[in-house]
């Protein structure tokens, strides 16, 4: 409880959606590498977090419109879309197609309003969260492409291709507004720049695997997948060097936005290894996946320490400050 008596999760900012994204993508990676028990454990955590944040999202929308409006036009609000699509992608792998379709519909319904609100307030020198306009859009592409591969409908693959193209355009728009200094001073969300490239590569890899695209179209998608993945790996390498040169060990909720790109890079590499026929990418994906798992555990430990210190701090009485 906080000093007003409300539970701690009632005060979580929109950036908390990064925890759902990070947890769900690691569940997908563990599934792709055959660690099904661990994958389902991470899935349960992701689902519980999603329900908690969805309830809080709805509560603020209905009961605290001023706060909801103030948060809805910030880039982290788009984690609601991205988290929903990543969770839906994992559920689709369990054969829960109808549930995944429902999550796709939900994400697609809230995406335009949040995207418009965020873009309307864009400015120069933005933090890494600016790239969430791309991540949320590519999340729709990934889930739509995933469902199309289950035979749900070819129209979903075409919709996914349109979302992929739009997402890449939005990436470019975010890139010119990104404050490059964030690479060295950011609290964790600077990694979203790499994560946006990774989820774009994953969407392209899913489309590459679709039987709908053949000939030149298939070759173009395969090339796009590999180019995006190479750009993603280059960006992550640069971000890692910056972390080593200027360590930022303190916990920040934006650190979940560091875990997510690592997990997404792993899943993109694992998927591209099959879709593009580059088999060594699977080994690389497995290595990055376990780095993502380690980063998830470290971030969770940082959160636990923060909560423990918060509970240990004396709360002022009614007459206190």
């Amino acid at each position: 409880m906080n000093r007003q008596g409300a539970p701690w999760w009632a005060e979580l900012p929109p950036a908390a959606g990064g925890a759902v994204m990070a947890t769900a993508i690691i569940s997908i990676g563990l599934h792709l590498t055959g660690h099904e028990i661990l994958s389902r454990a991470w899935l349960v955590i992701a689902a519980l977090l999603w329900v908690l944040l969805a309830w809080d999202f709805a509560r603020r929308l209905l009961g605290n419109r001023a706060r909801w409006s103030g948060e809805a036009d910030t880039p982290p609000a788009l984690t609601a879309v991205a988290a929903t699509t990543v969770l839906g992608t994992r559920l689709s792998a369990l054969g829960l197609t109808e549930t995944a379709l429902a999550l796709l519909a939900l994400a697609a319904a809230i995406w335009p309003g949040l995207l418009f609100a965020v873009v309307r307030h864009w400015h120069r020198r933005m933090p890494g969260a600016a790239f969430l306009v791309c991540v949320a859009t590519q999340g729709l592409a990934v889930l739509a492409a995933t469902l199309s591969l289950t035979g749900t409908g070819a129209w979903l693959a075409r919709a996914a291709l349109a979302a992929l193209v739009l997402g890449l355009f939005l990436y470019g728009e975010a890139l010119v507004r990104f404050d490059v200094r964030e690479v060295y001073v950011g609290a964790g969300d600077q990694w979203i720049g790499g994560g946006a490239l990774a989820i774009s590569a994953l969407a392209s890899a899913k489309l590459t695997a679709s039987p709908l695209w053949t000939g030149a179209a298939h070759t173009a998608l395969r090339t796009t997948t590999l180019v995006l993945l190479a750009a993603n790996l280059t960006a992550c390498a640069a971000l890692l060097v910056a972390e080593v040169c200027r360590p930022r060990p303190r916990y920040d909720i934006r650190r979940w936005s560091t875990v997510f790109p690592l997990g997404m890079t792993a899943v993109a590499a694992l998927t591209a290894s099959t879709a593009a026929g580059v088999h060594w990418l699977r080994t690389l994906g497995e290595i990055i996946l376990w780095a993502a798992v380690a980063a998830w555990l470290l971030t969770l430990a940082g959160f636990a320490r923060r909560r423990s210190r918060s509970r240990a701090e004396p709360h002022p009485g009614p007459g206190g400050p």
Side-chain angles (χ1 to χ4, degrees):
M1 295 284 182
N2 61 23
R3 65 187 60 182
Q4 284 77 34
W8 61 267
W9 46 262
E11 296 185 341
L12 286 176
V20 182
M21 296 160 60
T23 308
I25 198 62
I26 286 178
S27 176
I28 293 173
L30 291 169
H31 168 71
L32 291 175
T33 53
H35 299 89
E36 194 61 28
I37 295 177
L38 287 176
S39 174
R40 296 196 181 204
W42 256 264
L43 173 59
V44 169
I45 297 171
L48 290 174
L49 287 172
W50 184 90
V51 169
L52 176 65
L53 293 176
W55 185 89
D56 194 42
F57 181 94
R59 183 182 63 83
R60 292 181 190 180
L61 175 62
L62 298 175
N64 192 347
R65 292 298 297 272
R67 179 175 177 179
W68 186 89
S69 298
E71 294 175 341
D73 57 12
T74 62
L78 285 165
T79 60
V81 177
T84 300
T85 57
V86 178
L87 180 61
T89 300
R90 177 63 185 98
L91 293 175
S92 178
L94 291 175
L96 300 174
T97 303
E98 292 184 358
T99 303
L101 276 169
L103 290 176
L104 176 60
L106 175 60
I110 64 176
W111 168 74
L114 291 175
L115 181 67
F116 177 75
V118 169
V119 170
R120 192 161 55 92
H121 291 85
W122 257 357
H123 53 82
R124 295 290 178 180
R125 294 187 176 180
M126 295 189 68
F131 291 103
L132 283 167
V133 296
C134 172
V135 173
T137 306
Q138 300 296 25
L140 294 171
V142 168
L143 181 50
T146 299
L147 288 168
S148 73
L149 290 172
T150 67
T152 304
W155 69 272
L156 283 170
R158 296 186 178 92
L161 180 61
L164 170 63
V165 174
L166 176 59
L168 291 175
F169 169 76
L170 290 170
Y171 184 89
E173 290 295 309
L175 183 61
V176 299
R177 292 168 173 81
F178 175 59
D179 187 351
V180 182
R181 294 173 298 180
E182 287 290 307
V183 173
Y184 298 98
V185 302
D189 59 349
Q190 70 274 15
W191 281 80
I192 300 176
L197 291 168
I199 196 170
S200 299
L202 178 59
S204 185
K206 294 272 188 180
L207 289 170
T208 301
S210 172
L212 187 64
W213 316 110
T214 58
H218 177 271
T219 300
L221 284 168
R222 180 181 184 274
T223 302
T224 300
T225 298
L226 295 177
V227 169
L228 288 171
L229 188 57
N232 162 226
L233 292 170
T234 301
C236 287
L239 288 162
L240 181 60
V241 169
E243 293 275 6
V244 172
C245 293
R246 189 179 183 279
R248 284 148 274 182
R250 295 186 58 138
Y251 171 79
D252 189 289
I253 197 168
R254 288 168 289 184
R255 269 303 175 195
W256 292 108
S257 294
T258 300
V259 181
F260 171 73
L262 289 173
M264 184 57 74
T265 299
V267 171
L270 291 166
T271 305
S273 69
T274 301
V278 183
H279 302 298
W280 61 267
L281 284 175
R282 181 170 183 84
T283 301
L284 178 63
E286 290 176 348
I287 293 172
I288 298 174
L289 174 63
W290 290 114
V293 170
W296 189 94
L297 292 171
L298 286 172
T299 305
L300 179 64
F303 168 76
R305 284 196 301 271
R306 172 69 63 85
R307 289 304 309 158
S308 177
R309 290 172 183 170
S310 177
R311 287 194 300 266
E313 291 175 358
H315 292 173

